[in-house]
Amino acid sequence: MIHLHYIDDALLVAEKPAGLLSVPGRSEENQDCVVTRLQAVYPDALTVHRLDQVTSGLLLHARGKEMQAALSMQFERRQVGKCYEAIVQGLIEGEAGEVDLPLIVDWPNRPKQVVDRERGKPALTRWRVMARDVEAQRTRVALEPITGRSHQLRLHMASLGHPIVGDVLYDAPQAQRVHLHARSLQFTHPVTGEVLAFESAAPF
């Protein structure tokens, strides 16, 4: 069963484990996912946003089409606060910065994304160093995606020469998992207007 951080008549906030899809894939063996597991208990649960299969952390679902439209609008208008935690290869220089590189799907190698300054969609990520592990030559970072492109955080960190630990798709060595976790989520309740904020500690 999926762990829930919050539930009411309008929405639910779930904890997605790494390795599980957010939504069903095309093939028969990829039908198991967060939303189908939730719908087994809450038939009106609908997807609002997604996390990559390799990513763990906070995932918001709406209950019913009306709530889905209202919550999706907050994402489109960038009114949702999202922060991720990651461990990347190498020791990052500087304490904070941003990556502003347009992204497009690499069709022959999809779902991989590539930087394409002519045809790519704008993508902006802010990063901040949380801790450095000199011995392991790794850096723990907080990542704030200002836009919500597919694989944005993964490719943006790799473009700095610091791929996320375990992210073999973007040239990191194999590890137990990809060290990327959706740590915090803040949005406005579509019915009450209350600002809701959730935190989930990184499991790595």
Side-chain angles (χ1 to χ4, degrees):
M1 185 51 203
I2 300 289
H3 171 70
L4 294 181
H5 288 263
Y6 179 87
I7 181 164
D8 66 16
D9 292 341
L11 58 94
L12 43 90
V13 178
E15 178 81 18
K16 177 192 168 305
L20 186 65
L21 291 165
S22 295
V23 296
R26 289 195 184 89
S27 59
E28 195 57 45
E29 66 268 21
N30 284 336
Q31 295 308 295
D32 183 29
C33 62
V34 175
V35 74
T36 52
R37 289 191 191 184
L38 289 174
Q39 285 171 347
V41 186
Y42 309 101
D44 58 354
L46 296 170
T47 300
V48 177
H49 68 123
R50 303 174 186 191
L51 295 174
D52 290 349
Q53 185 172 6
V54 299
T55 308
S56 55
L58 296 166
L59 196 55
L60 172 63
H61 291 79
R63 301 192 68 182
K65 285 264 196 279
E66 194 183 338
M67 293 301 113
Q68 185 185 37
L71 289 166
S72 296
M73 188 62 73
Q74 290 188 44
F75 276 87
E76 280 172 38
R77 291 177 175 165
R78 297 181 189 163
Q79 294 166 334
V80 177
K82 300 187 295 261
C83 186
Y84 292 71
E85 193 167 321
I87 298 177
V88 300
Q89 300 284 148
L91 300 175
I92 295 183
E93 288 183 20
E95 294 307 311
E98 57 182 42
V99 184
D100 186 358
L101 291 171
L103 308 180
I104 194 169
V105 68
D106 183 6
W107 275 104
N109 302 303
R110 64 185 185 277
K112 193 172 184 179
Q113 307 284 315
V114 290
V115 173
D116 188 322
R117 294 178 189 280
E118 287 171 13
R119 295 172 303 142
K121 291 180 176 175
L124 178 62
T125 301
R126 295 195 177 121
W127 59 267
R128 176 176 55 80
V129 170
M130 298 170 70
R132 291 180 179 85
D133 185 338
V134 177
E135 200 176 325
Q137 289 289 298
R138 291 176 172 182
T139 308
R140 185 178 288 268
V141 289
L143 301 173
E144 184 189 355
I146 307 304
T147 50
R149 307 292 174 214
S150 183
H151 293 199
Q152 174 178 320
L153 301 177
R154 297 164 65 185
L155 180 49
H156 274 175
M157 295 319 289
S159 73
L160 291 177
H162 298 284
I164 294 171
V165 168
D167 198 355
V168 292
L169 191 63
Y170 295 104
D171 303 323
Q174 189 88 41
Q176 220 167 3
R177 60 159 290 183
V178 175
H179 286 52
L180 180 60
H181 181 75
R183 189 184 76 190
S184 65
L185 190 62
Q186 184 177 310
F187 56 92
T188 304
H189 194 289
V191 178
T192 67
E194 183 188 355
V195 175
L196 299 179
F198 300 92
E199 291 280 337
S200 168
F204 47 74

